[in-house]
Amino acid sequence: PTLLYLGAMSWQPNAKAAEFLAREVLPAVRQRFPNARLQLVGRNPGADVLALGQLPGVEVAANVPDVGVYLAQATLLAVPLDSGGGTRLKILEAFAAGLPVVSTPIGCEGIDATDGKHLWIAPRESFADTICDALAQPEASRCLAENARQLAWDRYDWSSIGREACAAVRSLSTLARHEPSSGEPGGVSPRTSGVSQQRPG
């Protein structure tokens, strides 16, 4: 089994997540799956991340031209982030690729996904155990991956986002046509429109 982590390794939360996977998670997983390996794939890894490639079962791939190759080869994506923000594109890429995902709660913040239906969510204390459970249940992993792929298509594909954006613009346009202007009888002047026009103090 191949665990995958994607990210810009020059960003400290990604570097810390990579080190956690290499030094703590992979050794625990290899107790149950001795041939398990970890691929750390991302841009601009520092010396500390590159050094992780010397650990048993760990490979560091820097500045690769296409992460799709690694998504296709991996068994699951592991996202043990414990800080930071961002768009979590790595998880959406895995969803779209049909790759099972194990993430911390912070790692999947902002994605409308359900634990046990689209991915597995686990705190760092039980992260390795959750990965082992996922590897031991390949059929369940496939079901979650299919659910996640459908979610990515329905909610996060560009065509879906485009439809939602167009619907929002049409809604605002309709609202604007039906609202009275400030110069019409019964209109509200922006100067007297209440709290919505006030700047935060």
Side-chain angles (χ1 to χ4, degrees):
T2 300
L3 315 182
L4 175 65
Y5 185 69
L6 301 173
M9 298 301 175
S10 56
W11 190 52
Q12 191 60 26
N14 278 336
K16 287 174 57 182
E19 184 164 3
F20 173 73
L21 285 171
R23 297 191 183 279
E24 298 185 42
V25 173
L26 184 63
V29 170
R30 284 167 71 102
Q31 291 181 13
R32 288 179 60 182
F33 299 90
N35 295 325
R37 61 186 185 131
L38 170 66
Q39 291 184 322
L40 305 172
V41 180
R43 298 188 308 276
N44 305 322
D48 52 345
V49 174
L50 290 172
L52 298 174
Q54 304 300 315
L55 298 174
V58 180
E59 174 190 352
V60 179
N63 306 312
V64 301
D66 181 13
V67 298
V69 175
Y70 294 89
L71 287 166
Q73 294 174 348
T75 308
L76 62 81
L77 179 76
V79 187
L81 286 169
D82 65 351
S83 64
T87 54
R88 310 305 194 232
L89 289 179
K90 59 173 67 69
I91 290 182
L92 295 181
E93 288 176 334
F95 281 1
L99 184 65
V101 175
V102 177
S103 174
T104 55
I106 289 177
C108 58
E109 275 184 339
I111 296 178
D112 187 20
T114 302
D115 181 26
K117 179 178 180 182
H118 303 107
L119 77 170
W120 283 282
I121 300 176
R124 279 195 164 196
E125 305 83 68
S126 58
F127 204 80
D129 288 338
T130 302
I131 287 178
C132 287
D133 291 343
L135 295 178
Q137 304 174 71
E139 188 57 39
S141 294
R142 280 192 290 272
C143 287
L144 261 68
E146 284 303 314
N147 292 339
R149 190 202 295 267
Q150 191 63 48
L151 176 69
W153 176 260
D154 292 341
R155 292 292 307 277
Y156 299 105
D157 182 75
W158 281 118
S159 60
S160 301
I161 293 171
R163 286 192 296 271
E164 289 188 17
C166 289
V169 170
R170 282 194 299 271
S171 176
L172 288 173
S173 177
T174 301
L175 182 65
R177 285 199 301 271
H178 289 86
E179 281 188 343
S181 68
S182 60
E184 295 176 350
V188 179
S189 167
R191 294 180 179 275
T192 59
S193 58
V195 175
S196 62
Q197 295 296 324
Q198 296 176 5
R199 296 180 181 275

